[in-house]
Amino acid sequence: MRQDERAEALAALVAATKNGSVKAANSMLDARIRQFEIRYEMSSAELKEGLATGDLRETAEIARWLFLLGTRERRVSG
Amino acid sequence: MRQFLIEQFVTSDGLEITAIDGAMLMEGTIECVGGIRIDVEKRIAVLVEDGMDSLVQTESYSYNVSVRNLGNVFRYDSPHITHNLFDHKHTVDPFVEGGEETIEPIYDSEDVPTLSEVISEAREWYYDNLDGLG
């Protein structure tokens, strides 16, 4: 990608974070969290409880799940 | 990243950036020599919008370095929502089966690595352990 193309793509991406046209991306976030819930056969609430009590151990995959949850929570709280 | 590609430590850059509410999500995998893989999750807030000169800031991240057929080597995480409520680093010796993982808190924000620093650290680990990787 040329420098000017990169600049244009980045500007569009930055603008998209502000102009509210990110419904699809947010749905993607929800869908990816749901994939983890299906794979691990537990809800995100159960995951959080398990980690907080020490019943569950954090793995690299669980860290990714937590990252998505944290990202979603930031979105909701603005 | 370009520098790492030029030096041929990074063999492919699979990072993608997606816009979400008020931020960008950078995710994907960076493949490196020796079967080293860096999984990246990063939320980047846009503080000041100005095209290529936009002011951005990393809000949360997870950088996991692993070796194919061996397992994890180290991972840097931002504070979780349930535990380890601070920046921290997980480290494990992939050459020791069932080896214990250590978790080291990072209290000084200046010590939180950038993605480039993580790639550099992975490269250093690779060269330090070349013999063991076979």
Side-chain angles (χ1 to χ4, degrees):
Chain A
M1 199 183 262
R2 292 195 322 262
Q3 181 71 6
D4 59 330
E5 287 172 333
R6 287 179 67 184
E8 208 173 297
L10 182 59
L13 198 59
V14 168
T17 68
K18 301 289 187 191
N19 67 10
S21 59
V22 291
K23 241 186 181 173
N26 289 337
S27 295
M28 174 271 292
L29 204 59
D30 291 335
R32 286 185 54 201
I33 290 170
R34 184 73 189 121
Q35 279 179 352
F36 277 109
E37 292 175 335
I38 290 170
R39 191 185 314 166
Y40 283 84
E41 296 181 351
M42 74 173 86
S43 68
S44 293
E46 287 169 326
L47 166 77
K48 287 194 235 179
E49 191 181 325
L51 288 168
T53 59
D55 288 339
L56 289 173
R57 196 176 66 87
E58 180 193 326
T59 61
E61 265 216 335
I62 284 178
R64 293 175 83 167
W65 186 355
L66 286 172
F67 172 85
L68 292 171
L69 288 172
T71 298
R72 186 168 67 177
E73 286 185 10
R74 278 178 189 269
R75 178 192 74 191
V76 168
S77 64
Chain B
M1 181 65 72
R2 198 156 159 255
Q3 189 56 35
F4 293 113
L5 285 162
I6 290 168
E7 291 170 5
Q8 297 182 322
F9 174 68
V10 170
T11 57
S12 77
D13 171 8
L15 297 181
E16 291 186 357
I17 303 177
T18 311
I20 55 177
D21 280 344
M24 295 182 284
L25 205 55
M26 177 188 282
E27 305 174 287
T29 299
I30 300 168
E31 302 282 356
C32 309
V33 297
I36 289 178
R37 170 188 166 124
I38 304 173
D39 293 303
V40 177
E41 308 271 353
K42 188 166 169 159
R43 179 187 162 103
I44 305 164
V46 177
L47 302 179
V48 178
E49 185 183 341
D50 189 13
M52 274 288 278
D53 296 320
S54 294
L55 184 62
V56 298
Q57 182 178 55
T58 297
E59 283 188 333
S60 58
Y61 61 89
S62 180
Y63 309 123
N64 190 80
V65 178
S66 61
V67 185
R68 188 175 53 234
N69 298 328
L70 275 181
N72 287 345
V73 178
F74 64 87
R75 179 172 72 255
Y76 285 98
D77 287 324
S78 53
H80 295 310
I81 53 178
T82 51
H83 65 294
N84 290 339
L85 307 176
F86 37 77
D87 295 286
H88 57 282
K89 179 185 182 184
H90 300 257
T91 307
V92 67
D93 185 345
F95 299 111
V96 175
E97 198 170 325
E100 210 172 292
E101 182 184 77
T102 58
I103 299 172
E104 188 187 323
I106 302 171
Y107 293 122
D108 188 344
S109 59
E110 295 290 316
D111 294 332
V112 172
T114 62
L115 178 54
S116 286
E117 287 168 340
V118 172
I119 298 172
S120 291
E121 187 174 340
R123 180 181 58 192
E124 194 178 323
W125 185 91
Y126 169 70
Y127 285 112
D128 286 347
N129 293 276
L130 211 46
D131 289 342
L133 292 170

